[in-house]
Amino acid sequence: MAQIRGTAGYNLGSQDNRFGGPGRADATNDPSPLEQLREQTNKIEDWLDTAADPIKQYIPAAGRFLIVCTFMEDAIRIMTQWSDQLLYLKDYRHIPWGLTHSFLFLNVIAMISCSTLVIIRKYTEYAVFGLIGVVITQALGYGLIFDLNFFLRNLSVMGGLLMVLSDSWVRKKFAPAGLPLPAEKDRKKYIQLAGRILLILLFVGFIWSGDWGIARILVSLFGLVACVMVVVGFKAKWSAILLVVILSVFNLVVNNFWTLHEHHPHKDFAKYDFFQILSIVGGLLLLVNMGPGSFSVDEKKKKLVGMDESQYLADSPPTVVPLVIKPHFEALTDEQKLYAHHISKAAFSGTRIILRQVSPESESIYNLILALQRHCNGDWAPLAKDAGVGNDEMQLALQYFTQFLGNLGNYKGFGDVKFIPRCSPQTIAALAAKVSAAEMFYEQCKSTIYADGGKPALMHFGFPGQGHMSTYYPGSPDITRDEIEKVGELLGAKGILPENSRIRKTTSGDYEILIASALSKPPAEGSDAGEVTTWELCSPLEGKRVSLVFGDHQEEMAKIALHIKKAGLHAANETQKKMMDEYAKSFGTGSLNAFKESQKFWVKDKGPEVESNIGFIETYRDPAGIRGEWEGMVAMVNKERTRAFQKLVEAAPAAIPRLPWSKDFEKDEFNAPDFTSLEVLSFASSGIPAGINIPNYDDIRQQIGFKNVSLGNVLGAKAPNEPIPFIRTEDLELYRENRDAAFEVQVGIHELLGHGTGKLLQETSPGVFNFEHKYPPVSPVTRKPISTYYKPSETYSSVFGPTASSYEECRAECVAMALSCDFSLLKIFGFGDGEIDMHGKAGDVLYASYLSMARAGVVALEFWDPTSGKWGQIHMQARYSILKTFLDAGDSFCRLDYKDDDLSDLTIHLDRNKILTHGRPAVEAYLQKLHIFKSTADVEAGRELYERMTNVEGSFWAEKVRGQVLKKKTPRKVFVMVNTVEVANGKVELKEYEGSMEGMLRSWAEREV
């Protein structure tokens, strides 16, 4: 509701649709037993992934250590039993005396040195081949090659060593001299396959040896199934974990050498077997960490799903632009600079909250990027050379890092779809391997940086129970939409607002409401719901409990509250100080009632030199549409531009009656808001909007008012030579000259008169109405008295549900399209003299505005998925429906022109002379329906209208037009922002960075958050 998420002229970037691949339910209509097993093991794997999060980073190191345990133990055994070993080799193996010494000495040296190299990851390839050589020479030297159990065990140990080798090839491009190996990518998959097969041979030997009993039969059956699954690569990770458990228990029970007497004849054999099985367990742990590789059922399944990973590739290159702010910041007083500095620090202190709200891996990727940046301090060439990474691959990695920081996560802030690096996994692995601080973070996220072809739904935000990504429900992969709604209903009944919360479903089926706060317990005066923090749910979830858990993002919230308190010391007036006090209370205790109080003071703080807003504000990214993403803004007022917006506010009372509804459906009184043009100093968020209209609380908006802001340096930020597809050649020059002005007009009207108008007809309390209930107003759509309205405690969002946000954005966009045709409003912005003149400057701006909207409607198809038929971006869904309105206006007002069958020459033809006679009336007819249905809570009619208008029909739109949109998409801008630094004597200095990938990386590294 509160943000315009476009950029000037809708020159929208490379954003992929939210539902770019089929979900699990689309894979097959009649699931086979294999598919059913996959579904169940998917749930188990998701649970295991969540449970293993704290130890994931240590699994590779543990695996490598366990693999070489048997070699280290064997080296110690030889040294401590040197005489016995010599005697055995001489008397029983008949090896000449001198050779026995050399044989044992070389084995000890090889085992110790190669094992050490494996553990520390140095010259791993040579070390692995050295240890394999030890296995072979010992088998020959001790004459045990024909002992079946020994033979199988050692093959399994070699399988573990091959997994080490495969792991090293993921990290480093290396080809041992003289070995006739295939290409790097191919040899890795062959080695992984061989390693998987060899690893399970020990268990095969276990099955066919020993006495049979019920327990042995059961263990053997489970183990055999797991072995087969490991070999074929079907749920290989899950199966490897099962084998680790079985072998570990077996090892402790059977090979418990520590319980045997020192001179027991089987003690050495038990110890030898114990450490060999530890080595095999280590190999299985590496399999759990790496996955089965290309030759596996799991990998084949990913290919069968048909996910085209190319649509998820990071922008190459990203469009990086700086936000220019220095002149406006330098104009502030020292006190104002300190006020801005501390709010900026508070805003960016929430960076890790945003990352956690995006995906489980985002924070680790962020840590990885910053560790690499700090290591090389922006000079990436030496690191790339040391890691064996070529310049092209290095540039692709930097492009991914830049886009990640620009979106604060690995899902696009505009489009909510995952993006993946264009560089190979080996490149990032090789870079991380050279920086110890980065390697740990790489281990945490390496399996999730790229796409999981077997789970395409995870590439898009949505409900976890439907297989999509959402960390608003952490550790709850099976939580359903119905459960989320039922929990939400209970919280609403208890008066608990949801914006600063997340929901976690526990293993017992209960629900924890994680509340962001610096305190880990409810405050002494109680939470927003009082002293009670646990409740039981009703049917159909009877018996399940809902509990409030405080302290989510505790460390970050404490830092935020501290900086907010410091900002309050430099507040310009009492209103600002009270606003900061309520912010600090909210962030400290988790109270959203306190946050609402802060928003009341924010609205009352008229015309500040430093404007700001901070908190869990916009709810676009939560699939339920009610939980807010952390964001924080600090900006300076552009007084010259603000004068035009203030004139627009003054003109609003005269403009509102020109909208296509009567006063019955409009607020009784227009509360003139503060409307300013701002220059952004800091904006901590997954994406920077062009305009904002907040707060989002209807009661505050109705009773106190709201504010509108236009972000001038965001609107004005440009990349050189931006391509503009779908605009006719004869329109390009006019379009380039006027698109920024047109967008500024549109943002102003959208925010002020779009989001700022309209009345919700409601029964405010039992028997009390805010309209004449006995003689209800007549709907201009049906020509009949209205029959629907909002009930007590109902809100627009609760009634319209997931449709609400996009529907409201569409309504606001239509208001902008309708009223931008009012030349008296165009005059306010400095275009024309207020008289209708379609061929003057005002006419040019109006024409550019309609062209921009039509082009945005075409480009919007990038965010629509043909598989699911769903939209992935609410603003673009709205703009597509407005394009359809233009096309339906008749008399060739708007059409798509093309000659080539593939639509490669597609352009938009819009008749500027018919904007007032055809375009505006068509938009107003659509707007009228949108508004009346919203005003009267007629959700059934509203949804039917909006779904029809946003439905993408036929191959022309779904395949041909969308195909050209995808071919011609251009990267979306990412912004480089300054940092503020407090120096001596209460002074604040500005640290600027160049508008480049290097500037982006340096700015975040020096932000120290």
Side-chain angles (χ1 to χ4, degrees), residues 50-65:
T50 301
D53 272 341
I55 62 170
K56 276 182 181 177
Q57 66 198 54
Y58 306 112
I59 290 177
R64 292 192 308 274
F65 176 78

Side-chain angles (χ1 to χ4, degrees), residues 21-29 865 867-868:
R24 291 175 183 164
D26 299 315
T28 175
N29 294 324
D865 170 49
T867 303
S868 64

Side-chain angles (χ1 to χ4, degrees), residues 136 143 187 200 204 242 313 398 405 425 436-437 586 598 688 727 761:
I136 295 172
R187 73 171 185 258
I200 59 93
V204 173
L242 180 60
L313 294 174
L398 290 176
L405 294 174
S436 57
S586 174
S598 76
I688 305 179
I727 298 296
L761 304 187

Side-chain angles (χ1 to χ4, degrees), residues 490-491 493-497 500-501 513-517 519-535 546-551 585-586 588-595:
L490 183 144
L491 296 177
K494 301 299 179 183
I496 300 173
L497 295 169
N500 67 343
S501 71
I513 310 304
L514 310 180
I515 296 177
S517 64
L519 297 180
S520 58
K521 296 180 179 179
E525 64 272 20
S527 69
D528 288 348
E531 296 182 0
V532 179
T533 58
T534 300
W535 305 273
V546 174
S547 302
L548 303 184
V549 178
F550 290 81
K585 179 180 178 182
S586 174
T589 67
S591 169
L592 282 181
N593 288 338
F595 181 75

Side-chain angles (χ1 to χ4, degrees), residues 538-600:
C538 300
S539 177
L541 298 175
E542 63 268 20
K544 301 302 181 184
R545 299 164 69 86
V546 174
S547 302
L548 303 184
V549 178
F550 290 81
D552 198 18
H553 315 299
Q554 185 175 17
E555 182 179 346
E556 289 75 24
M557 297 307 294
K559 291 178 181 178
I560 291 165
L562 175 62
H563 280 292
I564 287 296
K565 289 178 181 177
K566 289 183 177 180
L569 300 176
H570 306 283
N573 52 57
E574 192 64 23
T575 301
Q576 281 187 0
K577 186 178 186 308
K578 289 179 179 177
M579 176 174 67
M580 292 297 125
D581 288 343
E582 294 297 337
Y583 273 141
K585 179 180 178 182
S586 174
F587 302 147
T589 67
S591 169
L592 282 181
N593 288 338
F595 181 75
K596 288 186 69 175
E597 291 301 312
S598 76
Q599 297 306 279
K600 293 176 184 177

